[in-house]
Amino acid sequence: MYSVNYHRANSVADAAKLLKTGDAKLLSGGMTLIPAMKTRLAAPSDLVDVSRIAALKGVKVSGKTVTIGAATTHFEVSTDAKLQKACPALAELASMIGDPAVRHRGTIGGSIANNDPAADYPAAMVALGATIVTNKREIAADKFFKGLFETVLKDGEVVTSVSFTAPAKAAYQKFRNPASRYAIVGVFVAKGKATGKDDVRVAVTGAGDSGVFRAKTIEAALAKSFDPAVVAGAKVSADSLMTDMHASADYRANLISVMAKRAVAAANG
Ligand SMILES: Cc1cc2nc3c(=O)[nH]c(=O)nc-3n(C[C@H](O)[C@H](O)[C@H](O)COP(=O)(O)OP(=O)(O)OC[C@H]3O[C@@H](n4cnc5c(N)ncnc54)[C@H](O)[C@@H]3O)c2cc1C
């Protein structure tokens, strides 16, 4: 084991200051970063723990606006009564992440900053037209996720919260890897007010060879009729989808249709 300096930040300003130390990295739930350090995929000189900063914790719902602090755990997101009422699809998504240990430690801020191509929250953030708030700026989810494990976050930038307008209808369906529980394909469908008008957004995780993306053919079909039956006619091309040991690109393309159909049916209740 190599040595690493541990710092517990008391505030966001404190975290930003501590991040200037050596080759420091933020630590939130540690569910991704600690395994990466154990396997030497990451070797920071310093860890700046943001998981106990009160300002980064909790869910707030004001009218239709939902704000979730970056250090809120998946368990807290899944069980928050206000969120279960305002956007039950997101609470349910959080309940499907990993296992209880992961859900009690892992956080929404850590998940979106990590941008694993099979992570669940990126699909929700894009479909909900969410805003990612950092200590420096506000970033539309459409622009935040850049590629595999890549975001537009700059050095020294701390995600502080995510915020979105609760949609009229939404649902998430995931075909999970039975071992890791990550999505082989996950589809989040949101209808109404996601971007200020009564539109439909469909975001896909687990399948794209550059991470989360919007399934625009399915969106166009659903904008005309928000009915699961129209999804079959809106094919998704396998061209930019991943092929790996779990599933081929063609298999994933078909799964996107199946998951989208189920998500629309669930959103319609
Ligand atoms: C067994 C297992 C199963 C899992 N299954 C799933 C699954 O089904 N679905 C899913 O979506 N995920 C899954 N995960 C990942 C899990 O959700 C992690 O919690 C998440 O990816 C990282 O969140 P974290 O809070 O643990 O972040 P950390 O591991 O602490 O940090 C991850 C990265 O984000 C950076 N970071 C952390 N906080 C911030 C911040 N506030 N601002 C800027 N950068 C920050 C860190 O520096 C680091 O680079 C699984 C993980 C494990 C170990």
Side-chain angles (χ1 to χ4, degrees), residues 25-35 50 56 70-71 74 96-99 102 105-116 118-122 153 157-160 174 179-183:
K25 249 186 165 326
L26 292 174
L27 175 73
S28 195
M31 289 294 98
T32 297
L33 184 53
I34 300 292
V50 293
L56 298 187
H74 310 326
M96 297 181 201
I97 296 176
D99 51 38
V102 171
R105 294 289 317 167
T107 65
I108 189 167
S111 176
I112 61 170
N114 192 52
N115 193 20
D116 188 306
D120 299 297
Y121 280 124
L153 287 173
E157 204 162 7
V158 182
V159 175
T160 55
K174 145 162 144 172
S180 72
R181 299 191 178 90
Y182 275 100

mmCIF file of all heavy atoms in Angstrom, residues 25-35 50 56 70-71 74 96-99 102 105-116 118-122 153 157-160 174 179-183, ligand 1:
data_model
loop_
_atom_site.group_PDB
_atom_site.id
_atom_site.type_symbol
_atom_site.label_atom_id
_atom_site.label_comp_id
_atom_site.label_asym_id
_atom_site.label_seq_id
_atom_site.Cartn_x
_atom_site.Cartn_y
_atom_site.Cartn_z
ATOM 1 N N LYS A 25 -7.458 14.475 -4.956
ATOM 2 C CA LYS A 25 -8.717 14.085 -5.596
ATOM 3 C C LYS A 25 -9.831 14.145 -4.566
ATOM 4 O O LYS A 25 -9.603 13.861 -3.385
ATOM 5 C CB LYS A 25 -8.607 12.636 -6.101
ATOM 6 C CG LYS A 25 -8.584 12.533 -7.609
ATOM 7 C CD LYS A 25 -8.632 11.099 -8.060
ATOM 8 C CE LYS A 25 -8.961 10.907 -9.517
ATOM 9 N NZ LYS A 25 -9.851 11.781 -10.181
ATOM 10 N N LEU A 26 -11.037 14.490 -5.025
ATOM 11 C CA LEU A 26 -12.190 14.471 -4.119
ATOM 12 C C LEU A 26 -12.582 13.032 -3.823
ATOM 13 O O LEU A 26 -12.526 12.167 -4.700
ATOM 14 C CB LEU A 26 -13.378 15.174 -4.767
ATOM 15 C CG LEU A 26 -13.260 16.682 -4.969
ATOM 16 C CD1 LEU A 26 -14.454 17.197 -5.758
ATOM 17 C CD2 LEU A 26 -13.160 17.399 -3.625
ATOM 18 N N LEU A 27 -12.993 12.799 -2.587
ATOM 19 C CA LEU A 27 -13.524 11.496 -2.184
ATOM 20 C C LEU A 27 -14.941 11.745 -1.688
ATOM 21 O O LEU A 27 -15.159 12.592 -0.825
ATOM 22 C CB LEU A 27 -12.669 10.923 -1.049
ATOM 23 C CG LEU A 27 -13.161 9.620 -0.422
ATOM 24 C CD1 LEU A 27 -12.935 8.450 -1.374
ATOM 25 C CD2 LEU A 27 -12.432 9.341 0.894
ATOM 26 N N SER A 28 -15.906 10.996 -2.239
ATOM 27 C CA SER A 28 -17.279 11.139 -1.748
ATOM 28 C C SER A 28 -17.675 9.819 -1.094
ATOM 29 O O SER A 28 -17.337 9.566 0.059
ATOM 30 C CB SER A 28 -18.211 11.559 -2.897
ATOM 31 O OG SER A 28 -19.435 12.024 -2.387
ATOM 32 N N GLY A 29 -18.362 8.921 -1.812
ATOM 33 C CA GLY A 29 -18.685 7.618 -1.215
ATOM 34 C C GLY A 29 -17.520 6.640 -1.261
ATOM 35 O O GLY A 29 -17.489 5.653 -0.531
ATOM 36 N N GLY A 30 -16.563 6.900 -2.159
ATOM 37 C CA GLY A 30 -15.380 6.033 -2.289
ATOM 38 C C GLY A 30 -15.671 4.719 -2.989
ATOM 39 O O GLY A 30 -14.793 3.871 -3.117
ATOM 40 N N MET A 31 -16.893 4.525 -3.495
ATOM 41 C CA MET A 31 -17.271 3.230 -4.074
ATOM 42 C C MET A 31 -16.578 2.957 -5.403
ATOM 43 O O MET A 31 -16.422 1.818 -5.806
ATOM 44 C CB MET A 31 -18.797 3.150 -4.257
ATOM 45 C CG MET A 31 -19.577 3.019 -2.971
ATOM 46 S SD MET A 31 -19.262 1.435 -2.143
ATOM 47 C CE MET A 31 -18.050 1.889 -0.946
ATOM 48 N N THR A 32 -16.152 4.010 -6.075
ATOM 49 C CA THR A 32 -15.403 3.844 -7.319
ATOM 50 C C THR A 32 -13.936 4.204 -7.103
ATOM 51 O O THR A 32 -13.041 3.498 -7.556
ATOM 52 C CB THR A 32 -16.010 4.754 -8.422
ATOM 53 O OG1 THR A 32 -17.351 4.322 -8.650
ATOM 54 C CG2 THR A 32 -15.238 4.640 -9.715
ATOM 55 N N LEU A 33 -13.696 5.299 -6.390
ATOM 56 C CA LEU A 33 -12.319 5.773 -6.245
ATOM 57 C C LEU A 33 -11.440 4.815 -5.434
ATOM 58 O O LEU A 33 -10.297 4.550 -5.816
ATOM 59 C CB LEU A 33 -12.326 7.178 -5.604
ATOM 60 C CG LEU A 33 -10.966 7.859 -5.472
ATOM 61 C CD1 LEU A 33 -10.216 7.894 -6.803
ATOM 62 C CD2 LEU A 33 -11.109 9.270 -4.920
ATOM 63 N N ILE A 34 -11.975 4.269 -4.341
ATOM 64 C CA ILE A 34 -11.134 3.387 -3.507
ATOM 65 C C ILE A 34 -10.741 2.104 -4.269
ATOM 66 O O ILE A 34 -9.554 1.764 -4.303
ATOM 67 C CB ILE A 34 -11.824 3.070 -2.150
ATOM 68 C CG1 ILE A 34 -12.093 4.376 -1.367
ATOM 69 C CG2 ILE A 34 -11.016 2.085 -1.324
ATOM 70 C CD1 ILE A 34 -10.869 5.120 -0.857
ATOM 71 N N PRO A 35 -11.704 1.416 -4.949
ATOM 72 C CA PRO A 35 -11.264 0.266 -5.756
ATOM 73 C C PRO A 35 -10.254 0.667 -6.835
ATOM 74 O O PRO A 35 -9.318 -0.087 -7.123
ATOM 75 C CB PRO A 35 -12.560 -0.252 -6.395
ATOM 76 C CG PRO A 35 -13.656 0.276 -5.530
ATOM 77 C CD PRO A 35 -13.155 1.550 -4.922
ATOM 78 N N VAL A 50 -15.520 14.870 0.912
ATOM 79 C CA VAL A 50 -16.624 15.844 0.945
ATOM 80 C C VAL A 50 -17.912 15.227 1.500
ATOM 81 O O VAL A 50 -18.953 15.882 1.534
ATOM 82 C CB VAL A 50 -16.913 16.429 -0.469
ATOM 83 C CG1 VAL A 50 -15.763 17.291 -0.952
ATOM 84 C CG2 VAL A 50 -17.216 15.323 -1.488
ATOM 85 N N LEU A 56 -23.858 19.809 1.258
ATOM 86 C CA LEU A 56 -23.923 18.932 0.076
ATOM 87 C C LEU A 56 -24.888 17.770 0.270
ATOM 88 O O LEU A 56 -24.956 16.874 -0.565
ATOM 89 C CB LEU A 56 -22.525 18.360 -0.245
ATOM 90 C CG LEU A 56 -21.427 19.347 -0.596
ATOM 91 C CD1 LEU A 56 -20.173 18.607 -1.051
ATOM 92 C CD2 LEU A 56 -21.881 20.289 -1.703
ATOM 93 N N ALA A 70 -24.872 17.003 -3.734
ATOM 94 C CA ALA A 70 -23.957 16.054 -4.375
ATOM 95 C C ALA A 70 -23.581 14.884 -3.468
ATOM 96 O O ALA A 70 -23.357 13.776 -3.941
ATOM 97 C CB ALA A 70 -22.692 16.792 -4.829
ATOM 98 N N ALA A 71 -23.507 15.115 -2.159
ATOM 99 C CA ALA A 71 -23.070 14.045 -1.250
ATOM 100 C C ALA A 71 -24.251 13.247 -0.688
ATOM 101 O O ALA A 71 -24.095 12.508 0.294
ATOM 102 C CB ALA A 71 -22.229 14.632 -0.119
ATOM 103 N N HIS A 74 -27.153 7.164 -2.497
ATOM 104 C CA HIS A 74 -28.200 6.534 -3.315
ATOM 105 C C HIS A 74 -29.353 6.088 -2.401
ATOM 106 O O HIS A 74 -30.520 6.196 -2.772
ATOM 107 C CB HIS A 74 -27.645 5.319 -4.069
ATOM 108 C CG HIS A 74 -26.371 5.590 -4.817
ATOM 109 N ND1 HIS A 74 -26.103 6.798 -5.409
ATOM 110 C CD2 HIS A 74 -25.282 4.808 -5.067
ATOM 111 C CE1 HIS A 74 -24.915 6.747 -6.002
ATOM 112 N NE2 HIS A 74 -24.396 5.543 -5.799
ATOM 113 N N MET A 96 -32.178 0.908 -7.484
ATOM 114 C CA MET A 96 -31.687 -0.200 -8.329
ATOM 115 C C MET A 96 -30.164 -0.209 -8.433
ATOM 116 O O MET A 96 -29.594 -1.058 -9.108
ATOM 117 C CB MET A 96 -32.225 -0.046 -9.767
ATOM 118 C CG MET A 96 -33.706 -0.130 -9.939
ATOM 119 S SD MET A 96 -34.018 0.062 -11.741
ATOM 120 C CE MET A 96 -35.704 0.578 -11.725
ATOM 121 N N ILE A 97 -29.494 0.772 -7.831
ATOM 122 C CA ILE A 97 -28.034 0.855 -7.969
ATOM 123 C C ILE A 97 -27.356 -0.180 -7.063
ATOM 124 O O ILE A 97 -27.629 -0.229 -5.862
ATOM 125 C CB ILE A 97 -27.526 2.275 -7.625
ATOM 126 C CG1 ILE A 97 -28.081 3.295 -8.623
ATOM 127 C CG2 ILE A 97 -25.999 2.306 -7.583
ATOM 128 C CD1 ILE A 97 -27.716 4.737 -8.320
ATOM 129 N N GLY A 98 -26.472 -0.971 -7.654
ATOM 130 C CA GLY A 98 -25.602 -1.884 -6.895
ATOM 131 C C GLY A 98 -26.324 -2.697 -5.847
ATOM 132 O O GLY A 98 -27.400 -3.259 -6.081
ATOM 133 N N ASP A 99 -25.725 -2.732 -4.664
ATOM 134 C CA ASP A 99 -26.272 -3.497 -3.539
ATOM 135 C C ASP A 99 -26.394 -2.541 -2.340
ATOM 136 O O ASP A 99 -26.011 -1.380 -2.428
ATOM 137 C CB ASP A 99 -25.342 -4.685 -3.223
ATOM 138 C CG ASP A 99 -23.907 -4.251 -3.065
ATOM 139 O OD1 ASP A 99 -23.675 -3.158 -2.497
ATOM 140 O OD2 ASP A 99 -22.992 -4.963 -3.499
ATOM 141 N N VAL A 102 -23.272 -0.443 -1.461
ATOM 142 C CA VAL A 102 -22.995 0.617 -2.450
ATOM 143 C C VAL A 102 -23.992 1.763 -2.272
ATOM 144 O O VAL A 102 -23.619 2.936 -2.310
ATOM 145 C CB VAL A 102 -23.066 0.032 -3.891
ATOM 146 C CG1 VAL A 102 -23.000 1.132 -4.932
ATOM 147 C CG2 VAL A 102 -21.960 -0.985 -4.112
ATOM 148 N N ARG A 105 -23.190 4.064 0.729
ATOM 149 C CA ARG A 105 -21.958 4.870 0.668
ATOM 150 C C ARG A 105 -21.920 5.759 -0.583
ATOM 151 O O ARG A 105 -21.518 6.909 -0.516
ATOM 152 C CB ARG A 105 -20.705 3.958 0.645
ATOM 153 C CG ARG A 105 -20.451 3.147 1.877
ATOM 154 C CD ARG A 105 -20.006 3.943 3.073
ATOM 155 N NE ARG A 105 -19.028 4.958 2.744
ATOM 156 C CZ ARG A 105 -18.667 5.946 3.563
ATOM 157 N NH1 ARG A 105 -19.200 6.019 4.761
ATOM 158 N NH2 ARG A 105 -17.782 6.842 3.201
ATOM 159 N N GLY A 106 -22.292 5.196 -1.728
ATOM 160 C CA GLY A 106 -22.165 5.916 -2.996
ATOM 161 C C GLY A 106 -23.089 7.123 -3.061
ATOM 162 O O GLY A 106 -24.172 7.124 -2.476
ATOM 163 N N THR A 107 -22.651 8.153 -3.777
ATOM 164 C CA THR A 107 -23.401 9.416 -3.829
ATOM 165 C C THR A 107 -23.707 9.829 -5.274
ATOM 166 O O THR A 107 -23.007 9.430 -6.211
ATOM 167 C CB THR A 107 -22.593 10.552 -3.173
ATOM 168 O OG1 THR A 107 -21.411 10.773 -3.956
ATOM 169 C CG2 THR A 107 -22.216 10.212 -1.735
ATOM 170 N N ILE A 108 -24.720 10.661 -5.404
ATOM 171 C CA ILE A 108 -25.122 11.124 -6.742
ATOM 172 C C ILE A 108 -24.013 11.977 -7.374
ATOM 173 O O ILE A 108 -23.727 11.849 -8.561
ATOM 174 C CB ILE A 108 -26.491 11.853 -6.691
ATOM 175 C CG1 ILE A 108 -27.017 12.135 -8.102
ATOM 176 C CG2 ILE A 108 -26.457 13.117 -5.859
ATOM 177 C CD1 ILE A 108 -28.481 12.549 -8.164
ATOM 178 N N GLY A 109 -23.355 12.806 -6.566
ATOM 179 C CA GLY A 109 -22.280 13.661 -7.105
ATOM 180 C C GLY A 109 -21.112 12.820 -7.584
ATOM 181 O O GLY A 109 -20.549 13.068 -8.664
ATOM 182 N N GLY A 110 -20.742 11.806 -6.785
ATOM 183 C CA GLY A 110 -19.633 10.919 -7.173
ATOM 184 C C GLY A 110 -19.966 10.156 -8.439
ATOM 185 O O GLY A 110 -19.123 9.987 -9.325
ATOM 186 N N SER A 111 -21.211 9.725 -8.547
ATOM 187 C CA SER A 111 -21.622 8.937 -9.714
ATOM 188 C C SER A 111 -21.567 9.764 -10.993
ATOM 189 O O SER A 111 -21.025 9.313 -12.008
ATOM 190 C CB SER A 111 -23.030 8.383 -9.493
ATOM 191 O OG SER A 111 -23.451 7.714 -10.648
ATOM 192 N N ILE A 112 -22.108 10.989 -10.946
ATOM 193 C CA ILE A 112 -22.124 11.752 -12.206
ATOM 194 C C ILE A 112 -20.729 12.281 -12.551
ATOM 195 O O ILE A 112 -20.373 12.373 -13.714
ATOM 196 C CB ILE A 112 -23.190 12.878 -12.217
ATOM 197 C CG1 ILE A 112 -22.939 13.894 -11.116
ATOM 198 C CG2 ILE A 112 -24.599 12.316 -12.140
ATOM 199 C CD1 ILE A 112 -23.812 15.129 -11.265
ATOM 200 N N ALA A 113 -19.912 12.591 -11.507
ATOM 201 C CA ALA A 113 -18.549 13.060 -11.788
ATOM 202 C C ALA A 113 -17.725 11.924 -12.397
ATOM 203 O O ALA A 113 -16.847 12.149 -13.226
ATOM 204 C CB ALA A 113 -17.882 13.559 -10.504
ATOM 205 N N ASN A 114 -18.020 10.699 -11.991
ATOM 206 C CA ASN A 114 -17.280 9.535 -12.496
ATOM 207 C C ASN A 114 -17.698 9.187 -13.932
ATOM 208 O O ASN A 114 -16.898 8.756 -14.741
ATOM 209 C CB ASN A 114 -17.551 8.344 -11.565
ATOM 210 C CG ASN A 114 -16.634 7.191 -11.824
ATOM 211 O OD1 ASN A 114 -15.418 7.360 -11.856
ATOM 212 N ND2 ASN A 114 -17.188 6.017 -12.040
ATOM 213 N N ASN A 115 -18.999 9.404 -14.247
ATOM 214 C CA ASN A 115 -19.554 9.148 -15.585
ATOM 215 C C ASN A 115 -19.169 7.787 -16.168
ATOM 216 O O ASN A 115 -18.684 7.697 -17.298
ATOM 217 C CB ASN A 115 -19.200 10.286 -16.560
ATOM 218 C CG ASN A 115 -20.037 10.196 -17.835
ATOM 219 O OD1 ASN A 115 -21.091 9.557 -17.862
ATOM 220 N ND2 ASN A 115 -19.561 10.830 -18.895
ATOM 221 N N ASP A 116 -19.400 6.749 -15.374
ATOM 222 C CA ASP A 116 -19.251 5.383 -15.897
ATOM 223 C C ASP A 116 -20.277 5.207 -17.015
ATOM 224 O O ASP A 116 -21.441 5.608 -16.854
ATOM 225 C CB ASP A 116 -19.524 4.388 -14.739
ATOM 226 C CG ASP A 116 -19.212 2.952 -15.125
ATOM 227 O OD1 ASP A 116 -19.752 2.484 -16.153
ATOM 228 O OD2 ASP A 116 -18.440 2.298 -14.412
ATOM 229 N N ALA A 118 -21.948 2.839 -17.860
ATOM 230 C CA ALA A 118 -23.085 1.980 -17.487
ATOM 231 C C ALA A 118 -23.784 2.476 -16.230
ATOM 232 O O ALA A 118 -24.650 1.786 -15.693
ATOM 233 C CB ALA A 118 -22.595 0.547 -17.287
ATOM 234 N N ALA A 119 -23.420 3.666 -15.737
ATOM 235 C CA ALA A 119 -24.048 4.186 -14.507
ATOM 236 C C ALA A 119 -25.474 4.648 -14.797
ATOM 237 O O ALA A 119 -25.805 5.036 -15.927
ATOM 238 C CB ALA A 119 -23.224 5.338 -13.954
ATOM 239 N N ASP A 120 -26.304 4.628 -13.774
ATOM 240 C CA ASP A 120 -27.731 4.937 -13.946
ATOM 241 C C ASP A 120 -28.047 6.439 -13.964
ATOM 242 O O ASP A 120 -28.847 6.905 -14.778
ATOM 243 C CB ASP A 120 -28.526 4.259 -12.816
ATOM 244 C CG ASP A 120 -28.360 2.748 -12.849
ATOM 245 O OD1 ASP A 120 -28.772 2.130 -13.842
ATOM 246 O OD2 ASP A 120 -27.787 2.190 -11.894
ATOM 247 N N TYR A 121 -27.468 7.193 -13.004
ATOM 248 C CA TYR A 121 -27.850 8.610 -12.886
ATOM 249 C C TYR A 121 -27.644 9.439 -14.169
ATOM 250 O O TYR A 121 -28.451 10.331 -14.447
ATOM 251 C CB TYR A 121 -27.070 9.295 -11.755
ATOM 252 C CG TYR A 121 -27.610 9.041 -10.366
ATOM 253 C CD1 TYR A 121 -26.796 8.500 -9.385
ATOM 254 C CD2 TYR A 121 -28.921 9.373 -10.015
ATOM 255 C CE1 TYR A 121 -27.263 8.269 -8.095
ATOM 256 C CE2 TYR A 121 -29.397 9.151 -8.736
ATOM 257 C CZ TYR A 121 -28.566 8.602 -7.775
ATOM 258 O OH TYR A 121 -29.036 8.391 -6.513
ATOM 259 N N PRO A 122 -26.567 9.209 -14.954
ATOM 260 C CA PRO A 122 -26.422 10.054 -16.151
ATOM 261 C C PRO A 122 -27.658 10.018 -17.052
ATOM 262 O O PRO A 122 -28.070 11.056 -17.596
ATOM 263 C CB PRO A 122 -25.172 9.467 -16.839
ATOM 264 C CG PRO A 122 -24.355 8.947 -15.682
ATOM 265 C CD PRO A 122 -25.370 8.365 -14.727
ATOM 266 N N LEU A 153 -16.049 18.738 -16.206
ATOM 267 C CA LEU A 153 -15.514 19.304 -14.952
ATOM 268 C C LEU A 153 -14.037 19.652 -15.118
ATOM 269 O O LEU A 153 -13.269 18.870 -15.697
ATOM 270 C CB LEU A 153 -15.667 18.303 -13.803
ATOM 271 C CG LEU A 153 -17.075 18.089 -13.246
ATOM 272 C CD1 LEU A 153 -17.079 16.944 -12.238
ATOM 273 C CD2 LEU A 153 -17.623 19.370 -12.618
ATOM 274 N N GLU A 157 -12.856 21.857 -9.603
ATOM 275 C CA GLU A 157 -14.306 22.063 -9.627
ATOM 276 C C GLU A 157 -14.995 20.978 -8.792
ATOM 277 O O GLU A 157 -14.691 19.788 -8.923
ATOM 278 C CB GLU A 157 -14.806 22.012 -11.078
ATOM 279 C CG GLU A 157 -16.088 22.752 -11.289
ATOM 280 C CD GLU A 157 -16.356 23.070 -12.763
ATOM 281 O OE1 GLU A 157 -15.609 22.609 -13.645
ATOM 282 O OE2 GLU A 157 -17.349 23.779 -13.004
ATOM 283 N N VAL A 158 -15.929 21.405 -7.950
ATOM 284 C CA VAL A 158 -16.638 20.492 -7.052
ATOM 285 C C VAL A 158 -18.117 20.518 -7.433
ATOM 286 O O VAL A 158 -18.739 21.587 -7.454
ATOM 287 C CB VAL A 158 -16.500 20.954 -5.573
ATOM 288 C CG1 VAL A 158 -17.193 19.974 -4.635
ATOM 289 C CG2 VAL A 158 -15.034 21.139 -5.183
ATOM 290 N N VAL A 159 -18.700 19.363 -7.728
ATOM 291 C CA VAL A 159 -20.149 19.313 -7.955
ATOM 292 C C VAL A 159 -20.817 19.532 -6.601
ATOM 293 O O VAL A 159 -20.474 18.867 -5.614
ATOM 294 C CB VAL A 159 -20.591 17.952 -8.549
ATOM 295 C CG1 VAL A 159 -22.110 17.874 -8.674
ATOM 296 C CG2 VAL A 159 -19.944 17.715 -9.904
ATOM 297 N N THR A 160 -21.747 20.477 -6.538
ATOM 298 C CA THR A 160 -22.406 20.748 -5.254
ATOM 299 C C THR A 160 -23.837 20.218 -5.228
ATOM 300 O O THR A 160 -24.328 19.800 -4.180
ATOM 301 C CB THR A 160 -22.403 22.258 -4.938
ATOM 302 O OG1 THR A 160 -22.999 22.945 -6.044
ATOM 303 C CG2 THR A 160 -20.995 22.781 -4.713
ATOM 304 N N LYS A 174 -34.195 -0.822 -16.452
ATOM 305 C CA LYS A 174 -32.791 -1.230 -16.630
ATOM 306 C C LYS A 174 -32.707 -2.730 -16.790
ATOM 307 O O LYS A 174 -33.343 -3.480 -16.041
ATOM 308 C CB LYS A 174 -32.030 -0.725 -15.413
ATOM 309 C CG LYS A 174 -30.903 -1.546 -14.855
ATOM 310 C CD LYS A 174 -30.030 -0.654 -13.963
ATOM 311 C CE LYS A 174 -29.486 -1.346 -12.763
ATOM 312 N NZ LYS A 174 -28.515 -0.582 -11.999
ATOM 313 N N ALA A 179 -24.243 -9.844 -12.286
ATOM 314 C CA ALA A 179 -23.114 -9.868 -11.351
ATOM 315 C C ALA A 179 -22.858 -8.486 -10.758
ATOM 316 O O ALA A 179 -22.890 -8.301 -9.545
ATOM 317 C CB ALA A 179 -21.866 -10.384 -12.047
ATOM 318 N N SER A 180 -22.655 -7.478 -11.606
ATOM 319 C CA SER A 180 -22.280 -6.146 -11.094
ATOM 320 C C SER A 180 -23.505 -5.288 -10.770
ATOM 321 O O SER A 180 -23.407 -4.335 -10.008
ATOM 322 C CB SER A 180 -21.440 -5.405 -12.132
ATOM 323 O OG SER A 180 -22.261 -4.999 -13.210
ATOM 324 N N ARG A 181 -24.599 -5.597 -11.367
ATOM 325 C CA ARG A 181 -25.863 -4.844 -11.283
ATOM 326 C C ARG A 181 -25.839 -3.524 -12.074
ATOM 327 O O ARG A 181 -26.778 -2.756 -12.051
ATOM 328 C CB ARG A 181 -26.306 -4.602 -9.844
ATOM 329 C CG ARG A 181 -26.560 -5.913 -9.101
ATOM 330 C CD ARG A 181 -27.240 -5.655 -7.784
ATOM 331 N NE ARG A 181 -27.529 -6.885 -7.071
ATOM 332 C CZ ARG A 181 -26.694 -7.464 -6.212
ATOM 333 N NH1 ARG A 181 -25.508 -6.939 -5.977
ATOM 334 N NH2 ARG A 181 -27.031 -8.567 -5.595
ATOM 335 N N TYR A 182 -24.727 -3.239 -12.737
ATOM 336 C CA TYR A 182 -24.695 -2.080 -13.646
ATOM 337 C C TYR A 182 -25.625 -2.365 -14.829
ATOM 338 O O TYR A 182 -25.942 -3.522 -15.119
ATOM 339 C CB TYR A 182 -23.279 -1.866 -14.189
ATOM 340 C CG TYR A 182 -22.365 -1.050 -13.293
ATOM 341 C CD1 TYR A 182 -21.435 -1.657 -12.469
ATOM 342 C CD2 TYR A 182 -22.415 0.336 -13.305
ATOM 343 C CE1 TYR A 182 -20.582 -0.909 -11.667
ATOM 344 C CE2 TYR A 182 -21.569 1.093 -12.521
ATOM 345 C CZ TYR A 182 -20.657 0.471 -11.707
ATOM 346 O OH TYR A 182 -19.828 1.219 -10.923
ATOM 347 N N ALA A 183 -25.993 -1.293 -15.544
ATOM 348 C CA ALA A 183 -26.899 -1.455 -16.689
ATOM 349 C C ALA A 183 -26.166 -2.036 -17.896
ATOM 350 O O ALA A 183 -25.112 -1.530 -18.286
ATOM 351 C CB ALA A 183 -27.488 -0.097 -17.058
HETATM 352 C C1 LIG B 1 -20.194 -3.420 -6.509
HETATM 353 C C2 LIG B 1 -20.618 -2.122 -7.129
HETATM 354 C C3 LIG B 1 -21.794 -2.063 -7.849
HETATM 355 C C4 LIG B 1 -22.210 -0.867 -8.418
HETATM 356 N N1 LIG B 1 -23.361 -0.849 -9.139
HETATM 357 C C5 LIG B 1 -23.769 0.297 -9.713
HETATM 358 C C6 LIG B 1 -24.984 0.352 -10.466
HETATM 359 O O1 LIG B 1 -25.736 -0.616 -10.570
HETATM 360 N N2 LIG B 1 -25.316 1.545 -11.021
HETATM 361 C C7 LIG B 1 -24.545 2.675 -10.887
HETATM 362 O O2 LIG B 1 -24.902 3.712 -11.422
HETATM 363 N N3 LIG B 1 -23.413 2.651 -10.175
HETATM 364 C C8 LIG B 1 -23.008 1.504 -9.578
HETATM 365 N N4 LIG B 1 -21.852 1.491 -8.837
HETATM 366 C C9 LIG B 1 -21.084 2.746 -8.675
HETATM 367 C C10 LIG B 1 -21.605 3.519 -7.473
HETATM 368 O O3 LIG B 1 -22.856 4.075 -7.785
HETATM 369 C C11 LIG B 1 -20.657 4.643 -7.018
HETATM 370 O O4 LIG B 1 -21.212 5.136 -5.859
HETATM 371 C C12 LIG B 1 -20.454 5.820 -7.929
HETATM 372 O O5 LIG B 1 -20.009 5.489 -9.192
HETATM 373 C C13 LIG B 1 -19.381 6.763 -7.371
HETATM 374 O O6 LIG B 1 -19.915 7.491 -6.334
HETATM 375 P P1 LIG B 1 -19.079 7.728 -5.008
HETATM 376 O O7 LIG B 1 -19.854 8.690 -4.202
HETATM 377 O O8 LIG B 1 -18.748 6.425 -4.394
HETATM 378 O O9 LIG B 1 -17.780 8.484 -5.562
HETATM 379 P P2 LIG B 1 -16.234 8.278 -5.292
HETATM 380 O O10 LIG B 1 -15.835 6.868 -5.565
HETATM 381 O O11 LIG B 1 -15.865 8.840 -3.981
HETATM 382 O O12 LIG B 1 -15.657 9.239 -6.429
HETATM 383 C C14 LIG B 1 -15.807 8.912 -7.809
HETATM 384 C C15 LIG B 1 -15.154 10.026 -8.659
HETATM 385 O O13 LIG B 1 -15.922 11.231 -8.564
HETATM 386 C C16 LIG B 1 -15.119 12.313 -8.051
HETATM 387 N N5 LIG B 1 -16.018 13.066 -7.174
HETATM 388 C C17 LIG B 1 -16.663 12.602 -6.072
HETATM 389 N N6 LIG B 1 -17.454 13.569 -5.557
HETATM 390 C C18 LIG B 1 -17.322 14.666 -6.349
HETATM 391 C C19 LIG B 1 -17.892 15.974 -6.340
HETATM 392 N N7 LIG B 1 -18.775 16.362 -5.418
HETATM 393 N N8 LIG B 1 -17.510 16.849 -7.317
HETATM 394 C C20 LIG B 1 -16.629 16.481 -8.285
HETATM 395 N N9 LIG B 1 -16.043 15.248 -8.342
HETATM 396 C C21 LIG B 1 -16.397 14.354 -7.386
HETATM 397 C C22 LIG B 1 -13.963 11.632 -7.329
HETATM 398 O O14 LIG B 1 -12.820 12.456 -7.254
HETATM 399 C C23 LIG B 1 -13.730 10.405 -8.198
HETATM 400 O O15 LIG B 1 -12.990 10.750 -9.339
HETATM 401 C C24 LIG B 1 -21.417 0.311 -8.256
HETATM 402 C C25 LIG B 1 -20.238 0.271 -7.502
HETATM 403 C C26 LIG B 1 -19.835 -0.923 -6.945
HETATM 404 C C27 LIG B 1 -18.571 -0.953 -6.127
#
